[in-house]
Amino acid sequence: EDNIVTSSLRLLVITPPAGPRPTQSSTLTIGDDSGTRRVWSVNPDANTVTVVNATTGAKEGEYAVGMNPRSIARDANGRYWVTCHGSDEIRVLNADGTTHTTITLAYGAAPFGVAPSPDGQQLFVTLFGSGHLHRYSAANPNAVPLIASGLTTPRAIAISGNGARVLVTRF
């Protein structure tokens, strides 16, 4: 008696995309700070950002930010940008959790999403309350941002790999 077992597998092999990868806004980001891979996550209910060692899973720190943080992104300088929806500010943190600067926005601006350009030199922020998209410089966070207005309830952001297109969702 012969037992014949057959199996098939369809496998598609593709070349990985070349060049910079697209970016998007998120509630967490990953950074290699001082040689340690860490995950940074916003905590909207606690008004904090938590940092966890990606290898061990150990909590390395929790840092107070503004009210109702909604999104976080890492720039090319290793700083973390946090949108504080409830306090109309963007908190820029150093890798050790200390505040590098706080960008104060107009009352009711309600910043929501933040995403870096693929090279990390620019940061894009949606202002849910005022209907704007701001572009900031990682090198000089306090410089006046480029502003696009007329958006309705903007929230999440995606940026193409070449940095030429910024896509914004509406709530």
Side-chain angles (χ1 to χ4, degrees), residues 33-113:
D33 305 313
S34 302
T36 303
R37 193 160 181 82
R38 304 187 311 165
V39 178
W40 293 63
S41 176
V42 295
N43 304 312
D45 295 335
N47 302 325
T48 62
V49 170
T50 299
V51 181
V52 174
N53 183 304
T55 305
T56 66
K59 178 178 168 181
E60 292 192 356
E62 186 166 353
Y63 309 107
V65 293
M67 292 173 52
N68 195 6
R70 300 305 292 262
S71 187
I72 186 169
R74 187 177 192 268
D75 70 18
N77 299 314
R79 295 189 193 112
Y80 295 86
W81 294 56
V82 182
T83 54
C84 302
H85 187 74
S87 52
D88 299 318
E89 65 185 294
I90 302 164
R91 190 71 59 96
V92 182
L93 302 176
N94 295 308
D96 65 1
T98 59
T99 298
H100 173 72
T101 192
T102 299
I103 302 167
T104 304
L105 302 167
Y107 177 78
F112 195 94

Side-chain angles (χ1 to χ4, degrees), residues 5-9:
V5 177
T6 62
S7 177
S8 67
L9 170 67

